[in-house]
Amino acid sequence: MSTTYQRILVGVDDSPDALLAFQYAVQQAKKDAAELVIVSVLEDDQMNVYQALNKDYVHGERDALIQHLKTYQHQAQAAGVTDVQIMTATGEPGETIVKTVIPDVQPDILIIGSLAKHGITKHFGSQAAYMAKYAPISVLVIR
């Protein structure tokens, strides 16, 4: 059975598994002539209370993240994907992608890496497990 996707959502955080997920998503989007939406979540639990309250700090972090996502966008376009969007969100990555990003983007599939980049959760892949369990769409977890 061959499935063709119209809109693919890929989560990136610069971990090796997320980079593999990005590469897979690019190839799938190119094959299907699908729209590719690249998302990264600014984790507010990694900010201290003073940083979180400082609008300039949060704005600067978001601007830096957007600039970084543009490099992913350019890579996807250079690989031949014609419709590439980027977006950021703030919060806990798994929950934010499932509860906010997916309803906004309405993708056919979510492609993610199995391990997180930061913290103890990287060893357990709890964000990937959460998204695989609760996402209302198919989730492809890349190792």
Side-chain angles (χ1 to χ4, degrees), residues 1 3-5 7-11 24 28 97-98 102 106-112 128-142:
M1 179 175 130
T3 303
T4 302
Y5 301 107
R7 183 174 295 135
I8 298 170
L9 176 63
V10 61
Y24 185 93
Q28 189 68 47
I97 288 173
V98 168
I102 290 174
Q106 298 184 353
D108 301 312
I109 188 168
L110 168 63
I111 302 175
I112 53 171
Y130 180 91
M131 289 182 271
K133 183 174 182 177
Y134 294 108
I137 59 172
S138 295
V139 177
L140 179 59
V141 179
I142 303 292

Side-chain angles (χ1 to χ4, degrees), residues 3 21 30-31 35 91 105 124 128:
T3 303
K30 184 177 174 184
K31 177 179 156 270
E35 176 185 3
V105 173
F124 303 115

Side-chain angles (χ1 to χ4, degrees), residues 10 13 32 41 43 74 78 90 107 109 118 123:
V10 61
D13 69 359
D32 293 346
V41 178
E43 297 182 59
H74 295 308
T90 304
I109 188 168
H118 301 290
H123 300 292

Side-chain angles (χ1 to χ4, degrees), residues 12-129:
V12 296
D13 69 359
D14 291 340
S15 67
D17 286 359
L19 294 174
L20 289 173
F22 171 73
Q23 292 168 356
Y24 185 93
V26 166
Q27 293 306 312
Q28 189 68 47
K30 184 177 174 184
K31 177 179 156 270
D32 293 346
E35 176 185 3
L36 179 63
V37 180
I38 306 165
V39 65
S40 191
V41 178
L42 184 61
E43 297 182 59
D44 51 12
D45 69 339
Q46 294 193 359
M47 292 180 232
N48 67 42
V49 69
Y50 300 108
Q51 292 169 327
L53 293 173
N54 182 339
K55 292 188 190 308
D56 291 335
Y57 177 83
V58 174
H59 184 70
E61 287 288 305
R62 184 175 305 281
D63 285 347
L65 184 57
I66 289 169
Q67 289 306 312
H68 187 61
L69 284 174
K70 286 181 180 181
T71 64
Y72 282 103
Q73 184 179 38
H74 295 308
Q75 288 175 24
Q77 290 167 333
V81 182
T82 56
D83 191 359
V84 184
Q85 309 301 321
I86 59 172
M87 70 179 300
T88 63
T90 304
E92 187 71 20
E95 187 174 333
T96 300
I97 288 173
V98 168
K99 294 181 178 179
T100 305
V101 176
I102 290 174
D104 287 348
V105 173
Q106 298 184 353
D108 301 312
I109 188 168
L110 168 63
I111 302 175
I112 53 171
S114 64
L115 301 176
K117 181 179 175 185
H118 301 290
I120 191 165
T121 59
K122 73 179 180 178
H123 300 292
F124 303 115
S126 64
Q127 299 300 321

